[in-house]
Amino acid sequence: MSVSPPALPPRSAPLPDGELEHLLSAFYKSELPDPFPSLQAPTPLVERAYPEQAEPFAPAGGRRAPVASRVALAASVAVLFGSCWYLSGTRPEEGPAHDGNLINSGGSAKRIVIGGLPRPSDVPAPNPPGKSAHPTERGR
Amino acid sequence: MTRDPSAAGPRHAEFEALYQRHGRAIWAIAYARSMDADLALDVTQESFLKLWKEWEAGKEIKNPRAWLIRVARNLAEDYAKSAFRRNGTHPPQLMNGVRSGEPLPLEALERDETFGQLREVLEQLPVGDRDILTLRYALDYDAPQIAELLSINATAVHMRLCRARQRLAERLAAQGVKPLS
């Protein structure tokens, strides 16, 4: 009894040229999108070059709304400056009546000077050399 | 929604005409690198949008087709590299050549299997050969057209096409691929 060798996997003959062409054509045609989708430019260049001709985000009120908003902005700025001027107390008619005494305008009380130089008795004595003012700084 | 190109300006009309004329060729260039039709379409559209941005920036491109081909090649290669990092050698949807989970009729199943094997063999070919095959069989370009598009001579196109077909026939025979019924 003879044992036959295991059969090799079948190797088909090379495809004839016509068959290969048909196969390739069918494959590539199936891959190509059909219909090929169109593409439009996001925004036309002319719209940016001439904004008066096309304003995509123009409000319904036409050109009145930008003018109104500018007037409102100008009024707001004017009010802001007016308030600043009023609160700063630089009105000319109130200037001479104020003598700078914040506690008693009669002049008998002690005058407080804000932002003035400290008196010598208020200044702490300087540290001796090698000693830091703060205990934590000594350890550094 | 479609717009009237002439109403939107000459640049807009030129852009759409350019897309109509070269869109498929750019797709073929991208497809030859990615072997993925959807990705190739994304690359095509992205390339054209880049062209539009260049125009918007005021840059003048003397040869838009050559510029688009170069951009599409770079984009497709970048995508292929990132896809390789994510998925390995094959994107998941291309495994076994089956691109959809939907049930298919038997004939379509056989055809998809054959196409899957063909895709595997095509992926082993050099990119230059795939460029030529895609332009020849997807777009029916002849050798002079392919030569002009790829800036090579027509004889080289013939030689590479012949060699690519020969390799394909051998490899498909080794895999036992049968002709389509």
Side-chain angles (χ1 to χ4, degrees):
Chain A
M1 189 179 142
S2 65
V3 179
S4 59
L8 291 168
R11 182 188 170 93
S12 54
L15 292 173
D17 268 358
E19 293 292 345
L20 184 62
E21 295 252 330
H22 175 61
L23 179 63
L24 284 169
S25 188
F27 171 75
Y28 278 111
K29 291 277 161 44
S30 74
E31 292 289 291
L32 182 67
D34 184 30
F36 199 77
S38 62
L39 178 68
Q40 291 174 347
T43 49
L45 287 174
V46 285
E47 287 181 12
R48 294 196 180 181
Y50 306 104
E52 296 83 5
Q53 290 179 2
E55 281 188 76
F57 303 111
R63 299 195 66 80
R64 284 182 186 172
V67 172
S69 67
R70 282 174 195 161
V71 168
L73 178 66
S76 304
V77 172
V79 167
L80 181 68
F81 277 113
S83 308
C84 288
W85 173 74
Y86 180 78
L87 292 174
S88 66
T90 56
R91 284 173 294 176
E93 66 271 13
E94 293 181 2
H98 198 265
D99 64 349
N101 191 339
L102 299 178
I103 296 175
N104 191 350
S105 59
S108 59
K110 187 181 174 184
R111 187 177 177 127
I112 296 173
V113 178
I114 299 171
L117 288 172
R119 289 173 297 182
S121 59
D122 294 339
V123 179
N127 292 322
K131 271 196 167 185
S132 172
H134 199 276
T136 54
E137 289 180 11
R138 280 182 224 145
R140 287 184 189 167
Chain B
M1 191 183 84
T2 56
R3 282 180 296 191
D4 179 15
S6 58
R11 208 59 159 166
H12 193 268
E14 186 186 349
F15 178 81
E16 293 196 357
L18 208 62
Y19 182 77
Q20 287 292 324
R21 209 177 319 135
H22 303 306
R24 287 173 178 79
I26 303 301
W27 176 89
I29 296 293
Y31 179 80
R33 278 151 186 80
S34 64
M35 294 300 292
D36 183 332
D38 297 331
L39 181 60
L41 194 58
D42 287 347
V43 167
T44 304
Q45 299 199 339
E46 198 174 331
S47 305
F48 274 89
L49 292 177
K50 276 180 183 282
L51 175 71
W52 180 259
K53 282 180 186 168
E54 294 290 307
W55 282 357
E56 275 194 320
K59 293 178 187 168
E60 201 55 43
I61 292 162
K62 287 183 182 172
N63 187 348
R65 191 184 69 179
W67 189 90
L68 284 165
I69 288 174
R70 196 172 65 245
V71 169
R73 275 181 180 152
N74 292 339
L75 283 174
E77 281 163 13
D78 288 349
Y79 274 120
K81 282 177 200 162
S82 57
F84 180 83
R85 279 199 295 273
R86 282 197 308 271
N87 306 314
T89 52
H90 296 283
Q93 72 271 23
L94 299 186
M95 293 293 182
N96 304 320
V98 178
R99 308 197 59 171
S100 166
E102 295 168 11
L104 293 165
L106 187 61
E107 274 183 18
L109 205 59
E110 281 176 3
R111 199 186 72 146
D112 273 5
E113 193 183 338
T114 305
F115 283 174
Q117 288 170 312
L118 179 58
R119 184 193 302 278
E120 269 182 31
V121 176
L122 284 170
E123 281 172 350
Q124 293 164 12
L125 293 180
V127 171
D129 290 356
R130 289 206 302 259
D131 273 341
I132 296 171
L133 287 169
T134 312
L135 291 166
R136 174 76 189 90
Y137 293 104
L139 307 182
D140 295 324
Y141 279 19
D142 56 18
Q145 282 176 302
I146 297 171
E148 202 243 330
L149 190 77
L150 299 179
S151 304
I152 53 178
N153 67 51
T155 314
V157 173
H158 277 297
M159 282 177 62
R160 284 166 74 171
L161 195 57
C162 186
R163 196 179 55 203
R165 276 197 298 239
Q166 197 177 347
R167 276 188 204 162
L168 270 175
E170 285 170 7
R171 291 181 190 176
L172 289 172
Q175 290 195 0
V177 173
K178 294 171 188 167
L180 290 176
S181 51

